[in-house]
Amino acid sequence: MSWIAGDLNRAQLMGRLPAIGEHFQRLHASFYPLSQLPPETMELCRLRLAQLHRSDADFALAEYPVAAGKREQLQNWHSAAVFSAAERACLELAEVHAMDCGAITDALADAVKQHHGEAGLVALLQGLGVFDGFIRLGLIWQAAPAGGKQHG
Amino acid sequence: MASTARVSPPAGSTGNVIRDSALGIVPETLDHYLALNAAIWDAGPLSAAEVELARLRNARHTGCVMCQAVRYDVAIADGLTEDKVQVIRQDDPMAGLSERERLLVAFVDQYNLDPAGIPESLQQDLLEAFREDELLHLSLLVAWFNGSSRCAVALGGMPEAMPRLEISVPR
């Protein structure tokens, strides 16, 4: 139960200030249809952020379909064979981004660009910033997400 | 922190600082970015000076040199002084801040350092000092500026230091 406004979930809380909250929701949704980065990769990175923040509610969400094996083995993406080199590059950058965005190295950024180009790197960094924000909002508000919208 | 930009901005100039930045190479998100940024400044109940205080405190956490150098003209017009800005740049800013400003800073710090661990005492203090719509505005603006500031840092090209730079809200 959220300490701000009782028994409301994250989406409902955002809806209480629609002039801003609705723009935030639209921006969040805009990352999955992008051509610059595969939506499954975007979703894997969102899920990894949820794991790092220990947000079980955000990890339980499914914003875009992800192969069951990948979801189950996401914590071990370094060694699990189900992840492609391109996915590993994005997941590695997502992990460092979550801990300290200033610690992202040129090598980490170059690895993402090698697979997805400069636009792919920008799309990923934009998405990570917004996904991280949604997760943190849920945690600090103590409000669960409303349930994912399937973008795929 | 990378001082060399990792991404080239789009060719040409629109005169809009966001569209002409590296973000411009993903045009599909730009309208959403600009609309949200404008709404943060225009459509919430907090004053522009309070928005700017929260933004600058957040920039201190993310280490974004550019974000810390910028001052939005609407906040200056709203009465934000450079003395106040210097106060919130301290590790534990107390002197010179009102109770409401101190709580605003405490919320930004909690969001950055341990969002899941917000103490009940801070929750109560925030509920007493801010209305619900103000708390939602504060939360959403911190989430927005935190994410965009992290993106700016990660894109590289950040100088070691920058002089104070007064700008208008890009639209």
Side-chain angles (χ1 to χ4, degrees):
Chain A
M1 183 155 142
S2 172
W3 56 273
I4 292 189
D7 196 18
L8 298 181
N9 62 41
R10 184 172 61 202
Q12 289 168 328
L13 280 169
M14 284 189 174
R16 303 269 278 211
L17 197 60
I20 298 173
E22 287 178 5
H23 286 299
F24 225 146
Q25 301 270 21
R26 282 188 210 121
L27 178 62
H28 184 278
S30 75
F31 295 112
Y32 289 95
L34 290 178
S35 60
Q36 293 88 349
L37 199 76
E40 187 178 15
T41 303
M42 198 69 93
E43 177 68 346
L44 286 169
C45 291
R46 186 192 67 78
L47 290 168
R48 186 65 187 133
L49 289 183
Q51 286 182 328
L52 293 168
H53 280 294
R54 296 184 180 147
S55 174
D56 294 343
D58 279 291
F59 186 74
L61 277 183
E63 298 275 4
Y64 189 88
V66 167
K70 289 182 179 176
R71 183 179 270 269
E72 287 158 11
Q73 299 190 61
L74 187 56
Q75 202 151 6
N76 304 313
W77 64 265
H78 304 84
S79 55
V82 292
F83 297 102
S84 69
E87 288 168 340
R88 286 170 202 271
C90 293
L91 286 165
E92 187 165 14
L93 187 135
E95 283 197 349
V96 178
H97 178 278
M99 290 179 281
D100 178 6
C101 58
I104 292 173
T105 63
D106 288 339
L108 286 173
D110 287 346
V112 172
K113 286 193 287 184
Q114 182 186 337
H115 295 285
H116 300 296
E118 289 192 346
L121 175 63
V122 172
L124 178 60
L125 290 172
Q126 287 182 309
L128 290 174
V130 172
F131 297 156
D132 184 83
F134 270 54
I135 294 168
R136 284 176 188 267
L137 284 175
L139 293 172
I140 202 163
W141 285 346
Q142 298 171 347
K149 290 179 184 168
Q150 285 281 339
H151 302 288
Chain B
M1 200 174 296
S3 58
T4 305
R6 294 172 172 143
V7 173
S8 302
S13 172
T14 66
N16 181 295
V17 67
I18 300 293
R19 292 187 190 279
D20 293 343
S21 75
L23 301 184
I25 67 173
V26 184
E28 297 91 333
T29 61
L30 277 179
D31 288 343
H32 299 296
Y33 246 76
L34 288 163
L36 174 56
N37 189 57
I40 290 286
W41 288 101
D42 301 342
L46 296 181
S47 70
E50 288 175 320
V51 171
E52 184 71 328
L53 275 183
R55 186 192 69 79
L56 286 165
R57 181 67 178 179
N58 176 75
R60 184 179 180 280
H61 281 284
T62 60
C64 179
V65 173
M66 188 176 62
C67 310
Q68 292 179 80
V70 162
R71 305 285 182 276
Y72 280 92
D73 55 8
V74 287
I76 305 301
D78 190 41
L80 180 69
T81 65
E82 201 57 26
D83 285 347
K84 187 85 74 175
V85 171
Q86 295 311 316
V87 168
I88 61 125
R89 293 178 118 170
Q90 297 166 14
D91 285 342
D92 190 14
M94 298 295 279
L97 294 186
S98 67
E99 174 67 2
R100 191 175 158 94
E101 290 165 341
R102 188 188 67 74
L103 286 167
L104 185 147
V105 167
F107 181 88
V108 175
D109 291 352
Q110 192 73 45
Y111 177 94
N112 274 274
L113 301 174
D114 182 15
I118 181 168
E120 285 187 21
S121 58
L122 178 55
Q123 297 171 21
Q124 282 307 315
D125 289 347
L126 286 163
L127 286 168
E128 284 171 20
F130 294 87
R131 297 191 314 266
E132 176 193 306
D133 61 338
E134 292 175 324
L135 286 174
L136 293 172
H137 188 197
L138 175 60
S139 306
L140 291 170
L141 77 88
V142 176
W144 162 242
F145 287 128
N146 187 267
S148 53
S149 185
R150 284 167 177 267
C151 184
V153 170
L155 284 169
M158 203 65 73
E160 293 280 320
M162 267 181 76
R164 182 182 179 281
L165 178 65
E166 193 170 317
I167 66 170
S168 300
V169 176
R171 299 177 189 276

